[in-house]
Amino acid sequence: MDGNGCLFGTLCGNTRQVLQKFTVDLPKAWERGQSALRFARLRMEKRHNYVRKVAETAVQLFITNDKPNVTGLILAGSADFKSELSGSDMFDPRLQSKVLKLVDVSYGGENGFNQAIELSQECLANVKFIQEKKLIGKYFDEISQDTGKYCFGVDDTMKALDMGAVETLIVWENLDVIRIKLKIIKPKKKSFITLSRTKNKMQPFLWTVV
């Protein structure tokens, strides 16, 4: 957010997506012949309307069913607009509580979006770590309480997925397993092969015929 416009985007894993952007035409400087008081009033009025538009757009994009649909917010910009937005009464309190960091960037638009992500790596990593810690903690709670609402291993996990019995799936990001679906024409059946990589070779891990 700067004096030229505003961009809204999301970061999920390594995927960056621009949701919306718009430009703004704010009075830049007082010109001779203008009333200084009138210029100041118009300037403040346009800034106020600009901040209001940004705040309203943020609600449209980042709140669903009366709840924030993002884990955190990074407010970035090359001027003081981001600070003005953060402290404004027009900025929804539900989103204010999600602000993780205010970042100074040298650019606007998509270049500024990318720079804001780079400058927020540590902050974003902490958020991801906390999320993963809570998720793993919940998983171990199920195991310690012996609720029966958990499973592990490729075999049991795939069976649970086939039955539609999985609410939360935790997958190791370096898991080197693929699943292949085969259609057998005669007799008419479906076959699933789960393969794991061993010494650069794909070895059968699980074979299921339906």
Side-chain angles (χ1 to χ4, degrees):
M1 181 183 183
D2 59 19
N4 297 312
C6 186
L7 179 146
F8 300 84
T10 57
L11 174 67
C12 184
N14 295 320
T15 304
R16 308 175 185 192
Q17 181 182 6
V18 175
L19 301 178
Q20 188 172 331
K21 56 184 177 180
F22 59 83
T23 58
V24 64
D25 183 20
L26 297 176
K28 301 299 181 183
W30 174 76
E31 297 179 0
R32 183 174 296 181
Q34 284 183 309
S35 166
L37 289 176
R38 184 172 183 274
F39 172 80
R41 181 175 57 80
L42 290 175
R43 181 172 180 272
M44 290 302 297
E45 184 178 314
K46 287 196 172 184
R47 283 177 66 98
H48 178 83
N49 292 338
Y50 175 41
V51 173
R52 179 186 295 277
K53 182 178 180 179
V54 173
E56 291 175 349
T57 305
V59 170
Q60 295 170 9
L61 296 175
F62 299 132
I63 289 185
T64 304
N65 296 327
D66 293 327
K67 294 181 179 180
N69 56 29
V70 290
T71 304
L73 287 173
I74 304 291
L75 303 184
S78 56
D80 61 348
F81 283 104
K82 58 185 179 298
S83 301
E84 189 173 336
L85 173 67
S86 178
S88 172
D89 293 336
M90 295 180 287
F91 194 39
D92 195 292
R94 293 169 293 180
L95 294 179
Q96 280 182 330
S97 64
K98 292 291 182 179
V99 175
L100 301 174
K101 189 176 183 180
L102 272 63
V103 179
D104 290 315
V105 293
S106 305
Y107 314 98
E110 294 190 37
N111 289 332
F113 177 40
N114 293 330
Q115 188 182 21
I117 293 173
E118 295 301 319
L119 295 175
S120 305
Q121 286 299 314
E122 183 178 349
C123 179
L124 295 173
N126 290 336
V127 172
K128 182 180 179 182
F129 173 75
I130 292 171
Q131 280 184 307
E132 291 177 352
K133 187 176 179 181
K134 287 182 179 179
L135 191 62
I136 296 297
K138 183 179 178 182
Y139 175 65
F140 281 111
D141 285 343
E142 297 287 351
I143 295 176
S144 64
Q145 296 171 19
D146 196 20
T147 61
K149 297 179 181 179
Y150 63 90
C151 68
F152 48 84
V154 175
D155 192 351
D156 290 343
T157 302
M158 293 308 301
K159 289 178 181 177
L161 284 169
D162 288 337
M163 292 187 294
V166 176
E167 179 180 350
T168 303
L169 178 64
I170 302 174
V171 183
W172 180 42
E173 60 185 356
N174 293 323
L175 182 66
D176 206 353
V177 173
I178 62 173
R179 194 185 196 211
I180 301 172
K181 178 181 179 181
L182 306 175
K183 286 186 177 180
I184 304 173
I185 299 176
K186 292 183 180 180
K188 193 173 182 181
K189 293 182 178 179
K190 293 180 182 179
S191 180
F192 298 94
I193 306 174
T194 304
L195 304 174
S196 63
R197 188 180 295 277
T198 305
K199 295 182 179 179
N200 296 323
K201 294 182 180 180
M202 298 306 295
Q203 301 291 338
F205 189 93
L206 175 66
W207 188 299
T208 305
V209 178
V210 181

